[in-house]
Amino acid sequence: DFMRVLLGFGASLIILSAASVGFASDDAAAKVAAADAASGAKVYKMYCETCHGPAGAGDGAVGKTLTPPPRNFQTGDFKYGGKDQDIYDVISNGAASKGGSPLMAPWGAVVPEADRWALVKFIHTLKKK
């Protein structure tokens, strides 16, 4: 009986963990939906354009000198996942947090949370159709 209870508890934890991952994804989508892309554009111009370029092609003045080059947002391809939460995490914690280049700095301590969600929304607008 003890083992059955223990197994049931373990299965419940796994189900709850899986559900919380779904909620995190839904939460990120809701935060991006509520965000203001125009605010994101201002944040992008201030913090991102020098590397990622004015149109998000990865060709900013500083970006042209970097190896590896900055992400080209026009392609819509993201090295660490293209979901809203993935993009937000890289903006917040830097690419090195995912095993990537430390040249993509963490902006979480500099850019307020709402502005980082707005930035995610704006980045989606840079993808070429």
Side-chain angles (χ1 to χ4, degrees):
D1 281 338
F2 176 74
M3 285 302 286
R4 198 175 316 175
V5 169
L6 192 60
L7 286 172
F9 180 70
S12 296
L13 285 178
I14 291 170
I15 290 168
L16 286 173
S17 299
S20 70
V21 168
F23 289 140
S25 174
D26 293 345
D27 190 40
K31 287 180 180 180
V32 169
D36 178 35
S39 293
K42 290 176 187 170
V43 173
Y44 181 89
K45 187 161 189 59
M46 184 178 298
Y47 295 104
C48 313
E49 190 174 293
T50 57
C51 291
H52 292 280
D59 60 352
V62 173
K64 290 176 183 177
T65 69
L66 300 178
T67 303
R71 179 75 32 217
N72 176 348
F73 298 129
Q74 293 182 359
T75 66
D77 294 328
F78 296 91
K79 189 172 183 178
Y80 305 109
K83 291 188 170 70
D84 294 333
Q85 186 68 54
D86 300 326
I87 298 167
Y88 177 85
D89 289 345
V90 172
I91 293 167
S92 299
N93 306 315
S97 70
K98 305 274 189 186
S101 172
L103 297 174
M104 173 53 206
W107 293 99
V110 177
V111 178
E113 179 183 0
D115 287 345
R116 284 179 273 146
W117 287 115
L119 190 51
V120 172
K121 188 170 194 168
F122 177 71
I123 287 169
H124 287 305
T125 71
L126 297 173
K127 181 179 178 183
K128 296 288 184 194
K129 306 278 189 265

